[in-house]
Amino acid sequence: MLLPSTRESLPHPSDTHVRGRRDNETVRITVGDLEPGRVGLFDPDAGTLLAEGRLAEFPSLVALFEHMRPRWVWSDTRRWAPLLLTAGVRIERCSDLRLSAAILEWSTDADTSRTEHPPRPSWLAPGPAELALDATHAAASIPGAAAAPATASSADRVALFELDELDDVADGGPREGRIGEASGAASDALGRATPHQVADEHDRQLAIVARSARPPRLRLLLAAESAGALIGAELTAAGVPWDSATHDRVLTDALGPRPRPGAKPARMEELAAHVRIELAAPTLNLDSQVELLRALRAAGIRVDSTARWELREHDHPAITPLLAYKRLARLLSANGWGWLETWVIGGRFRPDYVPGGTATGRWATSGGGALQLPKQVRTAVVADPGWQLVVADAAQLEPRVLAAMAGDLRMAEAARGRDIYQGIVDAGVVATRGEAKIALLGAMYGATTGESGRLLPRLARAFPAAMALVDRAAATGERGARVTTLLGRSSPLPPASWRATQARATEPDATAQDERRARSSARDWGRFTRNFVVQGTAAEWALCWMAGVRARLARLGELEDQSDASPPATAAGPVFARRPHLVYYLHDEIIVHTPAELADEVAVAVRESAADAGRLLFGEFPVDFPLDLSVVQSYGDTGD
DNA sequence: CAGTGTGGCGCG
DNA sequence: AAAGCGCGCCACACTG
């Protein structure tokens, strides 16, 4: 087992005197603030304060204990991990209580009715522990999951903060908004937690997990989520190796030389002039949708928007230069010289990752647009001298996840050892690879019309189990209930406005329009929950994959530390300068920056981790997760 | 004038 | 004409 959480580690021999602990127990150490500016490390199982010191001493205190390979338990990885990384201290594993609470808060797997003592209120979780809203949801998305006959007692529903600012929580209504998002008050509370409070919260969470219907799955999810949080902090610390000169060349080739502030690049001006002539609109500002739409219609081009997909359908001499202009405008505003100056410092792009930042468990980023790096500028991602990039993405991850979740053997068979879309063609389900792709995406996204909708029945006939899973998830969402991923992340409830719309349609004086609107919004939410179970479980696979890669890279790095075959990647910071390390993550794709002589071993580690992730989630179910993997100097050289 | 909403487009 | 999910960011347009 490679995932930090699931590997039981032996305490260092010299630690056995620290406390009488069985060898197979994982040591945990909680981290918190004792008073402003002072940090404490606490052993909750021995009840001992292990160490305390000034905030500046925190990394060296952690370093003192890391050889015991403890699980570091803290409120928020985004607060604590950067302090360690800038000081050159790497840890093996942690528990992020903020992210865990966000998952457990809605974990309908947790059954509070079976215990005399409901979980203690949390100073951490921003909402009431609504633990039993929909007993059937688990069965809807987890094969073989038993529905927990749980009802939340009112004691579970107390507001967890005794803070007036959180009135909206105290009413006990469903919380809306982003997963893992903390209010200002919550952030303050997080910052002030003592190591003892952190320990209490951890105990509370462990108790919820233990009472849940599927403790091993939730345990894996929380471990993976926490590993992800650590990786997110490490990705920022290491940064994406970025060659600004290459980026500048891309910009100059496309746009012309960098213009003075306020001016448009030469290529854009040329194209704009061209468009103005063709539209006979000499003063047209192409950046204004309003003006542009008016000018297009005045020129006899019947469009309802200025969107590219719509413009593309028209044959008019203004269209080609207009589309070229829009493409350049996008490049300039999203990833132009301004972006380069703001986001690339010292040869590294350091985006701010937000692990668990979306409803489905995918990550978000804030600033820099790291998850939207256009293919065009990926040539600027270049390994340091003597280093290489191992770029890998999981081929058709979501359909494979769906096949495995649903236990659909025929679909898994179509995927095994090949392109799943081709496999579907070979199985005689549809005629072409293109049709297979459209049909499968349509199944996961909830298409109803067009080519996709037309192909769905054939897919359903060939793969009834897979189709039934997503259809069930959609039906659950249409009822306004939650669905759950394989490991136990639950979807949010629809907003109050959604419920109001549904309620209105059932009133005696409801109009046809009320009913239509209710039906439409129910379908909308059903498409969300349909996709949630697949996208969310795929995100879980990716977290496990990445956690495995991280663990294996750490082992390679220990060896590499002894050698100096490659020059250090000093811009990667003190922890990673001589070790292969993750530098980029994009839903189903990773990049490892590695000393060149280790690239082949890294590639093996990445592949083995993918296989491990499949087994962690799906056991021996015969599904595979092949990777498209390349060892390159530049991200632009991967061939896709 | 700042704050908010929307269209458009990049990524998976 | 966006059929069909999840995001973030930019510029423009509108609101108060």
Side-chain angles (χ1 to χ4, degrees):
Chain A
M1 287 294 201
L2 281 161
L3 204 72
S5 61
T6 53
R7 176 172 54 198
E8 296 301 335
S9 65
L10 301 179
H12 192 276
S14 68
D15 300 328
T16 47
H17 72 276
V18 172
R19 69 189 98 195
R21 180 186 298 286
R22 289 200 312 279
D23 279 358
N24 63 355
E25 269 182 51
T26 302
V27 179
R28 57 177 179 153
I29 301 177
T30 66
V31 173
D33 299 279
L34 295 169
E35 57 193 70
R38 289 194 71 76
V39 180
L41 308 185
F42 179 60
D43 177 343
D45 301 300
T48 340
L49 190 65
L50 297 173
E52 63 171 293
R54 285 177 286 112
L55 199 57
E57 296 166 321
F58 171 61
S60 48
L61 295 180
V62 167
L64 277 179
F65 291 91
E66 176 61 16
H67 69 91
M68 294 164 63
R69 304 175 65 193
R71 174 176 300 285
W72 295 97
V73 181
W74 52 39
S75 55
D76 185 0
T77 306
R78 281 160 63 82
R79 176 181 172 199
W80 296 104
L83 301 174
L84 300 180
L85 290 163
T86 51
V89 174
R90 182 192 181 279
I91 62 166
E92 181 177 327
R93 53 188 155 181
C94 74
S95 283
D96 185 304
L97 297 186
R98 179 181 61 88
L99 290 170
S100 299
I103 291 168
L104 294 177
E105 181 186 0
W106 305 128
S107 166
T108 43
D109 273 352
D111 179 358
T112 55
S113 70
R114 276 192 275 141
T115 176
E116 297 167 37
H117 305 290
R120 273 170 285 163
S122 166
W123 49 268
L124 185 85
E130 284 198 30
L131 297 175
L133 280 154
D134 175 22
T136 63
H137 84 286
S141 55
I142 298 180
T151 50
S153 71
S154 59
D156 297 334
R157 295 172 160 275
V158 298
L160 301 168
F161 280 100
E162 296 180 278
L163 295 173
D164 296 334
E165 302 93 291
L166 295 180
D167 284 342
D168 58 327
V169 168
D171 70 11
R175 186 176 63 101
E176 298 165 25
R178 294 276 297 274
I179 301 299
E181 177 184 85
S183 69
S187 300
D188 289 349
L190 288 179
R192 286 199 307 270
T194 68
H196 300 76
Q197 287 174 307
V198 170
D200 284 350
E201 170 63 12
H202 192 225
D203 287 340
R204 189 191 72 92
Q205 294 188 358
L206 292 177
I208 292 174
V209 171
R211 276 195 308 275
S212 72
R214 296 277 185 153
R217 290 184 182 190
L218 264 184
R219 219 168 269 139
L220 176 58
L221 175 55
L222 299 188
E225 186 84 339
S226 296
L230 212 43
I231 291 166
E234 291 176 353
L235 289 171
T236 304
V240 183
W242 204 274
D243 182 353
S244 294
T246 300
H247 190 152
D248 180 72
R249 207 173 315 122
V250 169
L251 295 177
T252 306
D253 287 351
L255 297 159
R258 181 176 191 178
R260 61 183 88 257
K264 283 252 171 66
R267 282 290 293 141
M268 285 175 69
E269 287 293 13
E270 291 163 22
L271 290 164
H274 203 140
V275 172
R276 288 190 196 104
I277 289 168
E278 297 297 349
L279 293 180
T283 62
L284 172 63
N285 171 12
L286 298 204
D287 298 328
S288 161
Q289 288 118 303
V290 177
E291 279 187 48
L292 180 57
L293 187 59
R294 197 161 41 216
L296 288 166
R297 301 183 76 127
I301 305 171
R302 295 147 73 99
V303 287
D304 293 316
S305 75
T306 64
R308 194 179 54 194
W309 62 262
E310 195 175 358
L311 293 172
R312 226 170 11 209
E313 302 303 311
H314 290 83
D315 189 23
H316 186 283
I319 299 296
T320 303
L322 175 55
L323 293 179
Y325 176 91
K326 285 165 81 76
R327 182 172 157 82
L328 294 185
R330 168 77 191 187
L331 175 65
L332 177 68
S333 73
N335 295 97
W337 290 280
W339 181 91
L340 197 49
E341 280 174 2
T342 306
W343 290 103
V344 178
I345 292 161
R348 290 293 187 271
F349 169 39
R350 299 179 196 278
D352 185 13
Y353 288 96
V354 187
T358 76
T360 61
R362 276 188 175 183
W363 291 12
T365 57
S366 93
L371 302 183
Q372 307 136 251
L373 272 190
K375 297 250 159 87
Q376 227 176 338
V377 306
R378 293 184 180 185
T379 53
V381 179
V382 179
D384 285 1
W387 289 59
Q388 284 187 301
L389 303 174
V390 177
V391 180
D393 73 276
Q396 307 116 28
L397 176 58
E398 291 190 358
R400 290 168 193 277
V401 162
L402 171 57
M405 280 181 90
D408 195 315
L409 283 164
R410 284 195 62 194
M411 192 164 160
E413 168 61 30
R416 195 148 56 248
R418 59 185 157 179
D419 180 287
I420 190 173
Y421 305 124
Q422 190 56 48
I424 290 174
V425 173
D426 295 346
V429 179
V430 295
T432 68
R433 186 180 184 279
E435 284 185 342
K437 187 168 181 175
I438 283 172
L440 208 40
L441 290 176
M444 293 188 299
Y445 293 161
T448 52
T449 64
E451 192 183 4
S452 188
R454 230 178 46 244
L455 292 166
L456 283 187
R458 308 172 66 171
L459 207 63
R461 227 173 300 128
F463 310 118
M467 193 61 87
L469 188 146
V470 287
D471 283 348
R472 216 156 49 228
T476 304
E478 289 184 23
R479 293 202 317 269
R482 296 179 197 279
V483 296
T484 311
T485 60
L486 181 77
L487 295 186
R489 190 189 305 267
S490 293
S491 63
L493 288 177
S497 56
W498 186 92
R499 296 197 179 282
T501 302
Q502 301 305 315
R504 204 173 307 127
T506 64
E507 281 164 14
D509 59 341
T511 66
Q513 190 187 350
D514 289 335
E515 287 170 17
R516 208 168 347 100
R517 200 177 298 146
R519 204 169 176 71
S520 159
S521 67
R523 290 261 160 81
D524 289 347
W525 199 260
R527 283 195 304 277
F528 164 60
T529 54
R530 169 190 293 270
N531 186 249
F532 181 97
V533 296
V534 179
Q535 188 185 118
T537 304
E540 287 163 356
W541 181 92
L543 282 176
C544 290
W545 178 37
M546 209 158 40
V549 169
R550 177 180 184 271
R552 287 176 186 268
L553 293 183
R555 255 178 268 156
L556 287 176
E558 283 165 25
L559 305 175
E560 179 66 8
D561 245 3
Q562 324 298 328
S563 97
D564 54 358
S566 290
T570 49
V575 174
F576 302 116
R578 291 192 172 276
R579 298 154 168 258
H581 53 273
L582 285 156
V583 292
Y584 190 61
Y585 169 55
L586 183 55
H587 308 318
D588 60 359
E589 179 171 3
I590 59 171
I591 303 179
V592 176
H593 191 212
T594 178
E597 69 275 11
L598 287 182
D600 291 342
E601 287 174 76
V602 168
V604 170
V606 168
R607 288 193 191 282
E608 289 179 348
S609 298
D612 286 344
R615 279 189 294 270
L616 270 175
L617 263 65
F618 305 113
E620 295 310 309
F621 184 81
V623 65
D624 61 356
F625 291 94
L627 304 180
D628 290 327
L629 183 148
S630 36
V631 179
V632 292
Q633 207 58 42
S634 161
Y635 192 19
D637 299 338
T638 54
D640 64 2

